Amino acid sequence: MRLLAALALLLGSGCATVPPATPGALVVRNVSVIDPAAGAVRPGQTIRVEGERIVAVGPSRAVAARGARVIDGSGKYVVPGLWDMHTHLSGWGFGRAFPMLVANGVLGVRDMGNPDMAAPRAASEQVKAGAIPSVRFFAAGLRLDGPTNPLFTSRLIVATPEEGRAAVRGKVEEGAPFIKIMARLDKPTFMAIAEEAKARSIRFAGHLPAPVSAIEAADAGMWTIEHGFRMPECDEGKSCPALTETTEALKRNGVWLVPTMAAEDGQVRVYSAAIPAEQRALITQEGRETWAKQDAINSQFYPPVPERLKAFSAGVAGGLRMTAILHKHGVKLLAGTDLGGPGTLPGFSLHRQLELLVQAGLSPLEALRAATSNPVAALGLEKDLGRVEAGKYADFLILNRNPLEDITATNDIHGVVANGRPYIGVDRRSLLTPSGSGTRA
Ligand SMILES: [Zn+2]
């Protein structure tokens, strides 16, 4: 699979040139380790990290602290690194987003569309050189869309099945780990893309085009569906065969859904001036420009600001409703934020999305899975990530409270270990200084 080839590159990056404070060894003592996939909490554990890997996890008396920097984990909880499965990092600048992501414990992202592959490749090089903290990422590059509103830029326009097939071959040639599609594809072009993607072993993900039903998309092999889609209208409490048929098709084909209420919630925060000053101070020039561009688009659809506020509040409510229904029907969910849009901030928005998932009816454990074990399973990375256990890459958060009791605890961070490198106290805070690059000299 192309994804695995790309992965070899990504997992190999980021640590060789950034040794931990004590060469090769870091120990977190006497901590509760949460395994989201198993739904287990193991108290009294000690974790030993050497280089980029976890080498031992076990009862505290059984794991040696010899020669290591020791962090006392008493009363704290460790969870695997978080993933944001829907970002647009070019809206912030990859290099500028990474320190903020790591400070928030978001150690993996799937980037759902950026103008070209140059920015992600440059970020990969910067991580390798130790210039920016390690975030594992998969970037789709240019998105495929049908003939569209000229306001929407950075798309590869494909208007016929032939153009769709050629575009898939082009993405394979440029080394894209997967393909992102947009909503304006016509049905024959969508189906041609699906067929060609299958033939070339490359996955495709994105918006559900208007002429294609979720059932058709699922049966055609779509990997993930983003934001949402038109769901059959059903009366509360009554049986609804059309809805059951849709959710059964999603489950039968293993399709993941990526609701992104944090995106509309971000817009609500902009239009109601609700972004805290310390977060506002972190907005990059690129971020400001991207937000302004989106605001110009919004103003075409909803001229006065109160109308925009109303529209995006309704968007949050709609996303919550859809998520609740999908969850109730057992559809698999991934946490995503559409980071890059107005009011979204790298890392911060993922914590907000976790809160919104719980508001939609997921338990804190289920929400945590949507950002840890589910993304790792969707990406096929179970061998290396998703659990805090011996042999895995050392990507984890040390939390001050138990997130299974209250999901906002994911945001109460004592420290983050990214690819074996600890960010605790001042090291972590320095990732969030507005001018800082987040690296030590
Ligand atoms: Zn998006």
Side-chain angles (χ1 to χ4, degrees), residues 86 88 180 227 338:
H86 191 124
H88 298 276
K180 165 83 181 287
H227 314 304
D338 218 358

